[in-house]
Amino acid sequence: MRSPLRSTVRTAAASLLLAAGLLAAGTQTPAVAAVPHSTAATAAAATAAGVATAEYDLGDTAFTDPESGTVSEVRAVVHYPRHLTGRLPLVVMSHGSWYACDDADAQTWPCPAGSHPYPSYRGYDYLGRALAERGFVVVSLSADAINMTSFDYGDRARLINEHLRLWRDLANGGGALKGRFTDPATGREVAPAFTGHVDMTRVGTLGHSRGGKGAMWQASDKHRAEWPTGVRVKAVLALAPVKFDYPEGENSDTLDTKVPFAVVTSTCDGAVHEQGQEYLDDIAGLNTVTDFSISLQHANHNYFNRSWTPPASLGEDDSTCPAQELTPAHQQDALTAYAVAFYRYELYADPTGLPVLTGRRPLPHTPATTRVALPATTS
């Protein structure tokens, strides 16, 4: 494996040039409030601002992948501003490989009698609330069936596309999601006014772990034609993503030179280490947009997802530096600050978070190393 941090932040002159040019381009956009420095504060602020939560569940076998035949659930939690005004960007998040059922010994999908799907997709609720507070509709989808039956990254990408297709139809006033939302706390039907208020030409994606490679696959030059008609993905965040090519050196399935992306890795990730930095290496001299990455010191792999974090029932601490590791709250704060900066910048042309992306503004509680990959045409 190539050294994941062989390139650090570009020269100070290049960073200043990038910041100056991009800030100038976004001077007419509104500023947003600073990111809170604790997840508790984020949740409280989101509640005060009127963030609502809903779920949809079309069943454990609702989607059959047209290419692989993998049968998946269509299930997700949605965080959104309670008072929807205008047309808001959509962010779709996909978790990675974990237990598919709450019985760790389960071997079949749907889960066997007495067992239930494991709620990995609820592990990013803190991030969904923070993004919703800042003007996004945020969907975190479940991929338990893929975790039980398939290791195909194309399956993960096509499941993202299926949710995007459903949201496109809903945004236009119809489709299978209409009338299918419930309150996750009570199970009662709710009817969020999403029609006319979701902009499917301003979509962001996030994938964690194996989901990170799935998100890069979905956004790649090779697979962009598979997006649902009318959908435009304009920001991709690969969170602690796996990175390996098969065969070695054949990276076309995940090579993305046209859609802006950011990669988040961690120095104490015991699962995939810092493989994800190689996504930036791949696009050197090829990218037509600016891409970013950050390496979080002393963060691990699992704490980004609360459902994978102790004391969750199947939570595990994978840290390679347990004596120095960040607390889960601090690690989640760092991701929240970075993700808010990235999506606000890419989907709202809001420059206020650019210093976070370039490393000029530190993240809360967390030393980090940033990289900025300027477009290949920029000297």
Side-chain angles (χ1 to χ4, degrees):
M1 189 193 319
R2 296 189 296 272
S3 174
L5 290 178
R6 68 181 187 183
S7 302
T8 54
V9 183
R10 300 297 177 96
T11 65
S15 295
L16 288 172
L17 175 63
L18 170 76
L22 297 184
L23 283 169
T27 53
Q28 296 181 351
T29 61
V32 293
V35 177
H37 281 203
S38 74
T39 51
T42 299
T47 301
V51 169
T53 307
E55 282 192 313
Y56 57 91
D57 185 351
L58 305 188
D60 286 340
T61 59
F63 175 61
T64 299
D65 190 297
E67 185 168 327
S68 69
T70 298
V71 175
S72 295
E73 75 272 30
V74 174
R75 179 176 300 122
V77 64
V78 187
H79 292 88
Y80 60 97
R82 189 177 302 277
H83 302 293
L84 293 162
T85 58
R87 297 174 68 238
L88 306 181
L90 181 75
V91 175
V92 175
M93 303 192 290
S94 179
H95 65 82
S97 180
W98 200 250
Y99 300 96
C101 305
D102 57 13
D103 176 357
D105 296 324
Q107 300 293 321
T108 60
W109 184 265
C111 296
S115 181
H116 303 88
Y118 195 76
S120 291
Y121 70 109
R122 296 302 306 269
Y124 313 103
D125 282 359
Y126 69 96
L127 181 57
R129 284 192 298 267
L131 289 169
E133 183 191 10
R134 290 157 178 84
F136 298 90
V137 175
V138 186
V139 178
S140 179
L141 64 88
S142 176
D144 286 335
I146 291 174
N147 285 344
M148 181 65 80
T149 65
S150 169
F151 286 96
D152 189 331
Y153 297 98
D155 284 352
R156 295 181 187 275
R158 289 184 290 271
L159 184 59
I160 292 172
N161 281 334
E162 174 64 6
H163 283 263
L164 290 175
R165 183 187 68 80
L166 293 168
W167 275 89
R168 177 204 62 192
D169 293 348
L170 180 66
N172 291 331
L177 294 185
K178 190 172 183 179
R180 300 300 296 268
F181 291 91
T182 60
D183 181 336
T186 65
R188 295 176 181 172
E189 184 176 331
V190 293
F194 292 127
T195 296
H197 291 297
V198 180
D199 187 350
M200 299 304 296
T201 68
R202 286 189 295 155
V203 171
T205 60
L206 180 151
H208 183 194
S209 192
R210 289 180 180 268
K213 182 171 178 178
M216 292 298 293
W217 183 300
Q218 192 269 347
S220 70
D221 300 350
K222 180 177 178 179
H223 298 291
R224 190 171 298 113
E226 300 169 23
W227 296 354
T229 301
V231 172
R232 295 291 179 270
V233 177
K234 294 187 175 178
V236 181
L237 198 159
L239 174 61
V242 300
K243 175 64 168 76
F244 52 84
D245 304 324
Y246 185 81
E248 180 68 27
E250 171 48 55
N251 62 13
S252 64
D253 278 324
T254 56
L255 183 67
D256 169 20
T257 68
K258 297 179 175 62
V259 179
F261 70 85
V263 177
V264 177
T265 62
S266 305
T267 64
C268 296
D269 186 324
V272 303
H273 310 292
E274 297 200 78
Q275 296 172 359
Q277 293 290 336
E278 294 181 16
Y279 287 115
L280 255 69
D281 297 340
D282 285 352
I283 51 88
L286 300 173
N287 55 318
T288 60
V289 292
T290 300
D291 301 305
F292 305 92
S293 79
I294 191 165
S295 171
L296 305 179
Q297 187 174 349
H298 299 150
N300 71 5
H301 189 79
N302 289 348
Y303 285 178
F304 294 118
N305 186 314
R306 288 185 175 177
S307 295
W308 300 357
T309 301
S313 60
L314 296 177
E316 299 175 5
D317 180 357
D318 67 283
S319 177
T320 61
C321 61
Q324 293 85 33
E325 69 178 352
L326 296 177
T327 66
H330 285 177
Q331 183 166 325
Q332 292 155 18
D333 285 348
L335 172 62
T336 298
Y338 193 79
V340 166
F342 176 65
Y343 289 122
R344 284 290 310 191
Y345 177 67
E346 298 294 354
L347 300 179
Y348 273 102
D350 180 350
T352 58
L354 188 59
V356 170
L357 302 178
T358 61
R360 296 173 64 197
R361 181 190 303 158
L363 294 174
H365 320 297
T366 310
T369 301
T370 58
R371 295 172 64 185
V372 177
L374 299 173
T377 55
T378 300
S379 58

